[in-house]
Amino acid sequence: MTEKFIKNEQFNFIKKQVALIKDSIKKHVPPTVLNATIGLANAKALELLPHASAEQITLLDLSNLKTEDQFEQYLQQLSAYVIDFPHITEQQLKKMFPKSKKLKLPDLSNLAGNKLTYLGWNDLRTNKKYLVYELDGKLVGIECKMSAIEKNNICSICNGHGEVTYFSTITKSKKANNPDYYKAIGNLICTDSNKCNEKITNVDYLEIFLKESLGIEQTKDRMYYVNEDAFRKNRD
Ligand SMILES: [Zn+2]
């Protein structure tokens, strides 16, 4: 068996493509349209993993599938190749968040096999949300303040629609000429991080947010990671 090679968010992306195809099958679109949809999905799946081996390309290939069942089976098979979240101990987590004296820890007993892009959990006693993610090969964590908002909305991390909370954090980045400069950044995020992990299809925003929070220099253009309006409303 080839080793696990698909990241959770990549698997979700492929899952989304398959959902589109299954939808087209259900709607009985003309065969030419269906074939084009399948072809495009296949190209996108392969594009995600440009360094895939011949064996992996065969596993990813969905161009010869026809029925809904076959697509379902394809996903089932592919899900076995989703890379596990890195092993992490309670000790490591406590070290990661030294300021949280009574850190509420997530359940680490069944991390393997759980499809996770990031590890996220809430502490409802303190209204905090914690995110842990492997950034450039290193596990990093941030602690955010959560403020409940009542409406369902779009999550900035996974772009999915669902129950969200406003989360904000103080960035560690400082301005050279002003050591007292602190900037809070925040946005909407799925309240339930497990649901977020089922929907996330790319890590662009997550990485930008983490880098900004941790004060890691970014070369990319600064993007719209701060929902200023929401922040202001929340703060006032
Ligand atoms: Zn989300």
Side-chain angles (χ1 to χ4, degrees):
M1 182 171 149
T2 181
E3 60 183 66
K4 298 183 175 190
F5 67 102
I6 306 168
K7 291 180 178 167
N8 175 60
E9 62 275 14
Q10 293 171 330
F11 179 72
N12 287 344
F13 180 88
I14 296 170
K15 209 166 63 179
K16 218 170 166 181
Q17 301 302 314
V18 167
L20 284 175
I21 295 170
K22 283 167 75 178
D23 195 45
S24 302
I25 295 174
K26 243 186 221 140
K27 285 182 184 151
H28 301 288
V29 299
T32 46
V33 177
L34 181 61
N35 285 340
T37 309
I38 294 174
L40 189 63
N42 201 48
K44 282 182 179 174
L46 293 177
E47 211 176 278
L48 271 188
L49 293 137
H51 306 296
S53 67
E55 192 187 352
Q56 291 167 346
I57 289 173
T58 310
L59 280 165
L60 288 169
D61 183 32
L62 48 77
S63 59
N64 295 315
L65 309 178
K66 300 259 180 294
T67 64
E68 278 193 54
D69 284 351
Q70 285 172 339
F71 280 105
E72 202 49 52
Q73 224 174 359
Y74 162 85
L75 280 184
Q76 275 271 316
Q77 193 191 14
L78 212 56
S79 73
Y81 296 95
V82 177
I83 302 165
D84 290 329
F85 192 77
H87 178 74
I88 188 163
T89 62
E90 294 192 351
Q91 220 46 42
Q92 281 173 292
L93 284 177
K94 282 179 186 160
K95 241 180 166 174
M96 213 175 256
F97 302 104
K99 282 187 193 153
S100 298
K101 292 282 174 268
K102 285 183 185 163
L103 179 68
K104 183 190 174 229
L105 294 160
D107 181 10
L108 298 175
S109 59
N110 55 356
L111 274 192
N114 258 356
K115 295 188 180 66
L116 294 178
T117 293
Y118 69 92
L119 176 63
W121 71 100
N122 305 338
D123 185 349
L124 296 177
R125 293 168 314 171
T126 54
N127 276 323
K128 296 243 170 82
K129 190 174 194 62
Y130 298 88
L131 305 184
V132 172
Y133 175 73
E134 192 176 37
L135 186 68
D136 300 332
K138 190 173 172 263
L139 278 172
V140 296
I142 55 165
E143 180 192 305
C144 301
K145 214 179 105 195
M146 284 200 306
S147 330
I149 53 164
E150 279 160 35
K151 275 184 235 149
N152 281 3
N153 212 323
I154 304 284
C155 164
S156 58
I157 305 277
C158 70
N159 277 313
H161 196 263
E163 193 194 318
V164 292
T165 28
Y166 185 79
F167 76 122
S168 60
T169 188
I170 303 288
T171 74
K172 291 204 170 91
S173 50
K174 295 242 172 85
K175 273 188 180 164
N177 55 357
N178 183 1
D180 295 327
Y181 171 83
Y182 287 102
K183 186 175 143 204
I185 55 168
N187 216 323
L188 301 175
I189 188 173
C190 289
T191 309
D192 183 339
S193 293
N194 288 330
K195 286 190 183 153
C196 197
N197 271 293
E198 284 171 18
K199 292 187 274 190
I200 186 168
T201 55
N202 75 68
V203 292
D204 295 350
Y205 180 83
L206 178 64
E207 292 200 348
I208 286 171
F209 187 83
L210 283 168
K211 285 182 180 168
E212 176 78 0
S213 310
L214 297 163
I216 297 170
E217 287 293 321
Q218 294 186 72
T219 45
K220 270 188 195 171
D221 283 344
R222 297 193 152 217
M223 292 170 72
Y224 301 103
Y225 44 80
V226 185
N227 189 335
E228 295 281 2
D229 283 337
F231 177 68
R232 228 169 278 133
K233 228 178 269 164
N234 214 278
R235 186 192 51 187
D236 293 342

